[in-house]
Amino acid sequence: MPDPFFDVSARLVADPTPGDNAAAMSVGELSSRLKRVVEGEFSHVRLRGEISGYKRVASGHCYLCLKDDAAVIDGVIWKGQAAGLAFRPEDGIEVIATGRLTTYPGRSKYQIIIDRMELAGAGALMALLERNKARFDAEGLFAKSKARAPLPFLPRRIGVVTSPTGAVIRDIIHRLEDRCPSHLLVWPVKVQGDGAANEVAAAIRGFDSLPEDLRPDLVIVARGGGSIEDLWAFNEEAVVRAVAACTIPIISAVGHETDTTLCDHAADLRAPTPTAAAELAVPVLADLRLTIAAHGQRTERCARRYVERGRERLDAMARLLPARDRLLGPQRQRVDDLGARLDRGLERRVVRARGELDRTGAVLRPALLDRRLEGARQRLADLGRLLASVDPDAPLARGYARITDRTGATLTSAAAAKATGALTLRFADGVVDAAVEGSAERSYPAAKLEKAPKPAKPAKPDQPTLL
């Protein structure tokens, strides 16, 4: 048997063969042809399958697989289409994807470019709802409704997040006018369709971020009834997180009695209808007035009863007290005795004062006052002469000088003059400054000093003087 490696019919180099018109294609050419065929044949397809391996990358594009019991196909959702999805894709959800088939030459795979994605029926929608409910509950987003914080009894401002053109806002306004008129702030939003969830979430965050003087005391998120598809915006994650994070008490009034959304679980209180939400928001003004009037009447009765009981206790205590005349008789008699003694004391005091005045008037004669005044003048003249005799500047007129230091203190010794250094010679007609020169002591004959006579003390008058 011939060895194929050494078979002469096998060719090592591919040479063109005469009559052969099947030219060799490159891999890229084949991929391009396949891409054109697939995109031309399947330019619009709708696939039903279960999502698997869903992920969203940093660029915003989404990658997933659609599978059923027989096969798996890759899918791509570009960023623009992913932002317009009405729900958040998750693994295990059965959907219907609309798009076109194409190939990815880099991996020799075909895939579907998804333009629109919808849930495959109400069953899949309810499964997604239950899945999201369990996930939000595990995150603690429903703890707000479980705590059930008390709503404000009489809110000054009420914020409403709803459509401005629907019947819901009119029902809320009419109900508030009937019960208790309040200041209403309406944030208009879409309540259905694309972008409705983002608008509702933005409105709730907007109310929560208002300044204190404009901020509502209560927020009502309201919408009329509808199918689960119509109410799906209030099941979106953005709305649920905004309601759970809002610091203002929120009443969720989405749908009718049997309609339940995830927004109801995240709010502080769920109302069965928008009209019921308005009833829960404010009390009945007439009932409130009646209650206040009843409290006023009870307060008045209590005050009157307190006064009456106090009067009864006062009467009882007054009956136990002794009679007024018996209680005040001794004091009255004592007052009369003191009054009589006061009259007699005043008379004696007047007589005594009149005698003292007569005696003092006899002493105050004009001649006696003149003699005392003359004696005072003589003593004043004597004191003036004595003052002139002891004046240190009096001898200056006779050629003497008084030696002082810079402060004006008189120097009485040579040692004090040497210690000062700078002297002032005071003459009768002026002052001359001098300096001490040399330290040799000079002896001078001692001068006899005579003590100045002490001033004579004034004679003590016989009677007190007025001067």
Side-chain angles (χ1 to χ4, degrees), residues 40-109:
E41 184 68 21
F42 302 98
S43 60
H44 181 78
V45 295
R46 284 170 57 86
L47 296 180
R48 184 188 184 110
E50 181 181 330
I51 297 177
S52 175
Y54 173 81
K55 63 179 178 179
R56 185 165 188 163
V57 297
S59 61
H61 308 315
C62 301
Y63 298 92
L64 52 89
C65 295
L66 294 178
K67 65 178 183 179
D68 57 10
D69 297 337
V72 178
I73 183 173
D74 292 338
V76 179
I77 307 175
W78 301 127
K79 179 180 179 180
Q81 285 72 28
L85 293 179
F87 66 97
R88 178 181 175 181
E90 294 181 1
D91 292 348
I93 301 176
E94 188 177 7
V95 297
I96 296 178
T98 303
R100 56 187 175 86
L101 290 184
T102 184
T103 62
Y104 181 51
R107 297 180 182 175
S108 298
K109 296 174 65 176

Side-chain angles (χ1 to χ4, degrees), residues 143-159:
K144 190 174 184 180
S145 61
K146 295 176 182 178
R148 288 299 301 274
L151 301 178
F153 176 72
L154 189 61
R156 295 174 301 172
R157 285 182 293 271
I158 300 176

Side-chain angles (χ1 to χ4, degrees), residues 385-392 394-395 398 448-456:
R385 289 192 295 271
L386 178 61
L387 179 62
S389 64
V390 298
D391 185 7
R398 300 195 299 272
K448 186 178 181 181
L449 300 178
E450 296 182 355
K451 295 183 179 180
K454 295 183 179 179

Side-chain angles (χ1 to χ4, degrees), residues 1-36:
M1 184 174 180
D3 191 349
F5 291 101
F6 297 97
D7 189 1
V8 295
S9 62
R11 293 178 296 180
L12 183 61
V13 179
D15 295 330
T17 304
D20 187 6
N21 55 3
M25 293 185 298
S26 64
V27 177
E29 291 176 349
L30 178 60
S31 298
S32 298
R33 289 187 179 184
L34 288 174
K35 184 179 181 68
R36 288 194 296 271

Side-chain angles (χ1 to χ4, degrees), residues 417-438:
K418 291 178 182 180
T420 302
L423 304 177
T424 301
L425 303 180
R426 297 184 178 271
F427 296 92
D429 57 349
V431 177
V432 176
D433 294 332
V436 179
E437 295 182 357

